[in-house]
Amino acid sequence: MIPSRPRFPAIGTALAAALLATALGACQSTPPPAASTAAPAPLPGLCNDTSLQWAIGKVNDEATVRRLKQESGAGLVNPIGPATITTRDIRRDRLRVYVDAGNVITAARCE
């Protein structure tokens, strides 16, 4: 008796080739973007604390913090209490609002 052979050997070969092409295509890396000579676009949420002195002495409440965020343009606002531990990293989009034990704002700085 002669062993039976698959009826459609071309389909098995085509399937193997397709799987191999898919696997190899996943390993292909994309080229890096071309260097641009134009100036980089400004980052959204850059902080500017020049006009925030009005907040010193005010109570740290939601409305005040919302106004500080809006006027500073900060993307991130961190309230810093007397016992809060902070890092020394500088972020251009962060406004730190320093408050005392009575929840009164003592400083508002972009850091």
Side-chain angles (χ1 to χ4, degrees):
M1 182 168 202
I2 300 174
S4 64
R5 299 189 74 179
R7 291 181 162 182
F8 305 105
I11 292 176
T13 305
L15 182 60
L19 288 173
L20 181 63
T22 302
L24 291 176
C27 296
Q28 184 179 13
S29 64
T30 58
S36 174
T37 57
L43 297 173
L46 290 181
C47 184
N48 182 357
D49 59 5
T50 56
S51 65
L52 303 180
Q53 297 304 312
W54 61 266
I56 295 175
K58 303 271 186 192
V59 175
N60 180 35
D61 60 6
E62 184 179 343
T64 304
V65 172
R66 189 178 307 126
R67 182 176 167 196
L68 284 168
K69 182 175 181 176
Q70 180 182 10
E71 288 185 14
S72 68
L76 176 67
V77 177
N78 288 129
I80 308 295
T84 305
I85 298 172
T86 61
T87 59
R88 297 185 127 195
D89 67 320
I90 302 295
R91 289 185 53 170
R92 296 173 54 197
D93 66 335
R94 177 175 59 204
L95 175 67
R96 286 186 170 165
V97 180
Y98 292 87
V99 297
D100 63 11
N103 201 30
V104 175
I105 297 173
T106 58
R109 295 191 298 258
C110 296
E111 300 179 339

